[in-house]
């Protein structure tokens, strides 16, 4: 399209057909610009997939096994027709910055009602679901993106991240192996595969993924930190500290970095260094409830009950579903023989949090001792029976 902006500022009359020499010259300029800036981005991507790799992706639903030729007669999209969509998209995206993810979901769904296969809209929706902890919906959405564009790297990484967060580790490893067929040297994918293997306790496999990631990106703080955690699990404390300190030097506010240094310090018996590291983690990441829990435990062992109580309450505030904090706080009150009614309330709240597990048994133990302290024989017997039933249930389930 070509418009005379002097006489037609509203761009209503396309005069391209009247200026064919100008059209050819401008097209040559445009193509030179695109070639220089896009590095042949218009050429079809050569993925180098083998027949077996392609079959693997097809089995996951990301590549159609049926060739669909492009319809050259189909009308291409006119950018002007997309202005309203772009305005709606930018409006929705503005709520991402403010963290209003319910509103993002609402607006993204409105966008997709008009264009169900719009990848930008789907990615926006998937991220909003993920941030809202609607993990199943996020997984479904990112998979939908990949059926539309199987080599969309960002969708691959988002999908693996959400699968790991949802505890679907085996699926994450399976999907990730397929993605690595397309991007074998991608440090982001390799790091996420290292995370998945770590949670599967396949430490040797995790080390290989993370080492490969660092071979491509030596400043990959997440990969260094995860390697440090693996060495920590293996009690190789010097190697763990070395990797985690490298990670923090690259990214001082790295999530879990100072927390991991705190764990190393505790294992070395350097309690003051552990306290300092856990507090640093909380300064950088106030919602890190495990740093608060470890601090509470240290202060409890040091006899600083007020500090321990403060941090147990902080854990409950940051993660109300972390039942062990309720029981540990109740135990603290029990040992101090103070505020028994509050201790009972904490215990009873904790034992109702599902699923029932070994920590719930600990809650029943503390609760019966609290009722014993009150000489409330009826509730001692009542919760002893409930605890016994849970013990048998857990024993039968292995």
């Amino acid at each position: 399209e070509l418009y005379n902006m002097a006489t037609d500022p509203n761009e209503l009359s396309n005069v391209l057909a009247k200026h064919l020499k100008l059209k050819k010259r401008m097209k040559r300029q445009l193509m030179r610009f695109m070639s220089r800036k896009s590095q042949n981005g218009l050429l079809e991507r050569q993925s180098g997939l083998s027949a077996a790799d392609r079959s693997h992706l097809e089995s996951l639903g990301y590549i159609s096994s049926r060739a669909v030729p492009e319809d050259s007669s189909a009308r291409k999209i006119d950018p002007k027709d997309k202005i309203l969509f772009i305005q709606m998209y930018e409006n929705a995206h503005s709520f991402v910055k403010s963290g209003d993810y319910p509103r993002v979901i609402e607006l993204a769904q409105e966008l997709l009602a008009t264009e169900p296969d719009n990848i930008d809209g789907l990615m926006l929706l998937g991220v909003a679901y993920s941030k809202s902890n609607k993990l199943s919906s996020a997984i479904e959405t990112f998979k939908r993106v990949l059926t539309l564009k199987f080599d969309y790297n960002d969708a691959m990484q988002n999908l693996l991240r959400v699968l790991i967060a949802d505890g679907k580790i085996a699926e994450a490893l399976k999907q990730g192996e397929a993605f690595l067929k397309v991007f074998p040297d991608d440090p982001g994918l390799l790091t996420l595969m290292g995370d998945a293997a770590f949670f599967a306790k396949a430490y040797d496999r995790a080390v290989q993924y993370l080492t490969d990631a660092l071979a491509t990106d030596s400043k990959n703080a997440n990969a260094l930190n995860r390697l440090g955690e693996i060495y920590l699990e293996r009690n190789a404390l010097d190697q763990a500290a070395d990797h985690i300190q490298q990670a923090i030097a690259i990214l001082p506010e790295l999530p879990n970095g100072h927390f991991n240094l705190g764990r190393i310090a505790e294992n070395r018996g350097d309690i003051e260094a552990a306290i300092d590291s856990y507090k640093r983690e909380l300064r950088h990441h106030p919602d890190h409830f495990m740093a608060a829990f470890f601090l509470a435990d240290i202060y409890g062992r040091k006899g600083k009950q007020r500090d321990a109580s403060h941090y147990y309450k902080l854990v409950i505030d940051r993660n109300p579903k972390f039942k062990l904090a309720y029981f540990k706080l109740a135990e603290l009150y029990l040992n101090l023989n103070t505020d028994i009614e509050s201790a009972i309330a904490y215990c009873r709240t904790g034992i109702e949090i599902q699923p029932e597990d070994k920590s719930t048994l600990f809650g029943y133990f503390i609760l019966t001792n609290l009722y014993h302290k009150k000489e409330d024989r009826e509730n001692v017997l009542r919760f002893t029976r409930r605890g016994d039933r849970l013990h048998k249930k857990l024993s039968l389930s292995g």
Side-chain angles (χ1 to χ4, degrees):
E1 297 180 3
L2 182 67
Y3 299 94
N4 186 333
M5 299 301 291
T7 60
D8 182 20
N10 293 322
E11 302 179 22
L12 298 177
S13 178
N14 182 4
V15 295
L16 189 64
K18 299 177 182 178
H19 299 275
L20 296 181
K21 288 184 179 180
L22 180 58
K23 172 185 175 180
K24 290 179 180 178
R25 179 165 58 84
M26 294 181 74
K27 185 173 182 179
R28 285 195 301 271
Q29 291 174 337
L30 177 60
M31 295 308 293
R32 282 198 298 270
F33 174 85
M34 291 170 66
S35 177
R36 187 171 69 252
K37 296 294 186 180
S38 72
Q39 297 180 339
N40 296 320
L42 292 180
L43 298 178
E44 183 179 353
R45 186 176 186 279
Q46 299 298 313
S47 64
L49 292 178
S50 68
D53 294 342
R54 187 174 182 87
S55 177
H56 193 179
L57 285 168
E58 286 176 5
S59 72
L60 293 172
Y62 296 137
I63 299 181
S64 172
S65 59
R66 177 174 55 88
V68 182
E70 181 181 353
D71 182 0
S72 59
S73 66
R75 178 181 176 273
K76 304 303 182 184
I77 296 171
D78 188 329
K80 297 192 298 299
D81 295 339
K82 291 291 184 180
I83 291 174
L84 179 60
F85 185 94
I86 292 170
Q87 289 173 340
M88 292 172 66
Y89 176 84
E90 290 178 348
N91 182 35
H93 207 274
S94 68
F95 287 97
V96 173
K97 298 176 182 177
S98 64
D100 188 354
Y101 293 108
R103 183 63 175 148
V104 177
I105 291 172
E106 180 184 339
L107 292 172
Q109 288 173 335
E110 288 181 17
L111 283 169
L112 293 166
T114 60
E115 288 193 36
D117 291 341
N118 185 281
I119 288 178
D120 290 328
L122 285 166
M123 286 296 293
L124 184 65
L125 181 62
V127 169
Y129 278 143
S130 176
K131 295 291 187 180
S132 302
N133 206 36
K134 296 182 177 181
L135 302 184
S136 295
S137 296
I139 290 169
E140 181 182 343
T141 304
F142 290 129
K143 285 184 176 180
R144 173 65 180 151
V145 172
L146 289 166
T147 61
L148 296 168
K149 183 172 174 56
F150 82 90
D151 61 349
Y152 194 163
N153 186 281
D154 194 33
M156 293 176 178
Q157 295 196 37
N158 272 288
L159 176 57
L160 293 186
R161 199 171 287 115
V162 179
L163 286 169
I164 293 169
D166 202 27
K168 294 181 168 61
I169 305 302
E171 184 179 355
L173 289 168
K174 179 181 178 182
Q175 299 276 354
E177 283 295 342
F179 299 156
L180 287 172
K181 301 294 186 182
V182 185
F183 298 105
D185 300 319
D186 185 271
L189 284 174
L190 288 164
T191 301
L192 286 164
M193 289 295 282
D195 291 342
F198 172 82
F199 290 118
K201 299 188 184 301
Y203 296 134
D204 289 341
R205 187 177 177 186
V207 167
Q208 187 60 62
Y209 285 129
L210 296 167
T211 303
D212 289 346
L214 288 165
T216 304
D217 177 12
S218 63
K219 299 296 185 181
N220 188 328
N222 289 313
L224 285 164
N225 189 49
R226 186 65 80 192
L227 270 174
E229 288 185 284
I230 293 170
Y231 289 123
L232 178 55
E233 290 294 325
R234 291 173 165 173
N235 206 37
L237 301 183
D238 290 343
Q239 287 175 287
D242 178 59
H243 282 80
I244 294 166
Q245 285 165 350
Q246 286 184 59
I248 291 174
I250 295 165
L251 191 61
E253 297 185 8
L254 176 72
N256 284 322
H258 291 287
F259 174 72
N260 287 330
L261 288 182
R263 293 172 61 203
I264 293 169
E266 272 205 85
N267 285 355
R268 286 172 167 169
D270 190 346
I271 300 305
E272 294 307 315
I275 290 173
D276 179 68
S277 291
Y278 294 142
K279 286 184 175 180
R280 284 175 183 267
E281 185 70 38
L282 283 171
R283 281 198 294 273
H284 292 311
H285 305 285
D287 290 336
H288 199 301
F289 68 94
M290 286 305 297
F293 184 77
F294 278 44
L295 274 170
D297 185 62
I298 289 176
Y299 282 126
R301 284 185 273 122
K302 288 169 68 72
K304 296 185 176 182
Q305 311 302 349
R306 180 177 295 179
D307 289 327
S309 175
H310 166 75
Y311 282 106
Y312 281 132
K313 288 177 180 177
L314 185 62
V315 175
I316 292 168
D317 179 68
R318 298 295 188 265
N319 186 356
K321 293 184 178 181
F322 188 64
K323 66 181 78 175
L324 191 55
Y326 294 89
F327 305 144
K328 296 290 285 186
L329 182 57
E331 183 185 37
L332 189 70
Y333 289 163
L334 173 65
N335 292 337
L336 292 172
N337 195 25
T338 185
D339 207 354
I340 299 301
E341 291 299 332
S342 291
I344 288 172
Y346 279 121
C347 254
R348 293 190 66 159
T349 299
I351 63 175
E352 296 304 320
I353 296 172
Q354 298 299 315
E356 291 185 316
D357 52 24
K358 289 182 179 179
S359 65
T360 312
L361 281 178
F362 176 63
Y364 279 121
F365 173 76
I366 298 299
L367 186 56
T368 53
N369 277 279
L370 287 164
Y371 279 123
H372 182 75
K373 181 80 72 174
K374 287 189 64 179
E375 299 183 352
D376 184 343
R377 180 173 173 76
E378 180 181 348
N379 274 315
V380 169
L381 293 173
R382 175 188 173 194
F383 287 102
T384 297
R385 286 193 295 268
R386 285 181 61 175
D388 287 343
R389 286 197 297 270
L390 177 58
H391 184 268
K392 290 177 183 177
K393 177 182 175 182
L394 295 174
S395 298
L396 290 171
S397 64

